[in-house]
Amino acid sequence: MDKLCTFHWGLFLLLFGTTLKGAHAIAIDVNSTDSIKHAAFVFSHGMMDYYNGNQTGGTVGKFTWPYYWWEAGAAWGSLLDYWFYTGDTTYNQILTDALLANVGPNYDFMPKSGTTTEGNDDPAFWGFTVMAAAERNFTNPPSDQPQWLELAEAVFWSMADRWDMSTCSGGLRWQIFPFNNGYDYKNPISNAGLFLMAARLARYTGNTTYVDWAHRTWNWVQQIGFLDTDFYYFYDGASVTDNCT
């Protein structure tokens, strides 16, 4: 029952505004599996009202404005959760199509249509979803397509390759490309994405290289001062021009 009570924040992101504007409420009996599944169904159906990627003129995998590409990655993760916890396969093919349409030429979720505007944290949200697909044994794509674990590893290594030792003794910058605002900024959210992918890949594969990267990322965030170990507050980030002070 506690698993069914899990609420994926990606779903919340897309529905929060709608719920406020419409003042709708869903009654949930936390002691009833059917009640919880029904609430999840209502929310999932509502979220898909904001998706037109399977319609003429829509972009596969992206939700309508004002939702950003990284939020789509989180939203698809919520639908993966929906399938896993309820067994409802209604959106499985749409989910698979959305993920595969955004993998990009190197399978690292840097599609040509949006690569130049991506920050390091953006593909991580798509990486979380394909990592969950591998962990939960979601049906893999056909053999001529990249598999979920392959995609998760590609996201991880593309991020790890951008680990920047030229400033602040390591860490990921917020932005990937120098021409984007925020390239001079290093922050926990980007490094947390790398940490989470490393930790989950370590657990899934048993490969100690991923363990090493998880330690490296966590230790850097702590040592640079982004983590307050007394209260476990995370600061938003800092400029490389000030040595990430």
Side-chain angles (χ1 to χ4, degrees):
M1 183 61 67
D2 59 335
K3 284 187 176 180
L4 286 171
C5 290
T6 299
F7 185 75
H8 195 288
W9 76 278
L11 202 67
F12 175 77
L13 274 173
L14 282 166
L15 289 172
F16 181 67
T18 304
T19 303
L20 284 182
K21 286 184 288 186
H24 300 302
I26 299 175
I28 300 176
D29 178 358
V30 297
N31 296 308
S32 167
T33 297
D34 288 341
S35 175
I36 295 170
K37 286 185 176 181
H38 175 70
F41 165 78
V42 172
F43 271 98
S44 298
H45 183 75
M47 183 181 77
M48 292 305 290
D49 285 343
Y50 291 86
Y51 181 64
N52 64 0
N54 53 355
Q55 301 173 13
T56 301
T59 302
V60 179
K62 294 183 68 175
F63 284 78
T64 57
W65 176 256
Y67 301 110
Y68 293 101
W69 183 77
W70 70 267
E71 290 178 300
W76 296 120
S78 74
L79 278 189
L80 185 71
D81 282 348
Y82 173 72
W83 157 77
F84 182 73
Y85 292 123
T86 69
D88 185 355
T89 61
T90 299
Y91 302 111
N92 284 15
Q93 188 59 56
I94 297 174
L95 168 59
T96 298
D97 292 343
L99 293 174
L100 293 179
N102 285 271
V103 298
N106 297 317
Y107 298 160
D108 55 0
F109 286 97
M110 294 189 67
K112 290 181 178 179
S113 60
T115 296
T116 57
T117 61
E118 282 189 43
N120 272 307
D121 52 331
D122 294 330
F125 284 94
W126 292 78
F128 301 155
T129 297
V130 291
M131 186 72 245
E135 292 165 337
R136 294 172 173 175
N137 201 29
F138 185 65
T139 302
N140 264 297
S143 58
D144 62 340
Q145 296 288 317
Q147 307 296 283
W148 303 133
L149 178 59
E150 181 184 1
L151 290 169
E153 290 185 307
V155 171
F156 167 80
W157 284 112
S158 69
M159 296 178 71
D161 285 345
R162 293 191 289 271
W163 186 264
D164 173 35
M165 292 298 298
S166 68
T167 58
C168 308
S169 301
L172 287 179
R173 295 173 182 260
W174 177 29
Q175 297 298 318
I176 296 172
F177 300 102
F179 48 75
N180 284 331
N181 291 332
Y183 181 73
D184 62 345
Y185 197 69
K186 291 189 177 181
N187 57 357
I189 185 61
S190 297
N191 289 279
L194 180 61
F195 166 77
L196 185 56
M197 292 299 296
R200 290 169 68 174
L201 282 166
R203 183 174 183 269
Y204 188 86
T205 68
N207 187 332
T208 57
T209 299
Y210 295 125
V211 176
D212 294 340
W213 268 102
H215 282 296
R216 178 182 294 122
T217 310
W218 176 273
N219 290 339
W220 180 83
V221 168
Q222 183 173 349
Q223 291 165 5
I224 206 67
F226 288 164
L227 167 62
D228 180 333
T229 54
D230 291 331
F231 299 100
Y232 275 80
Y233 293 154
F234 286 87
Y235 299 104
D236 187 80
S239 174
V240 300
T241 58
D242 298 322
N243 198 34
C244 294
T245 302

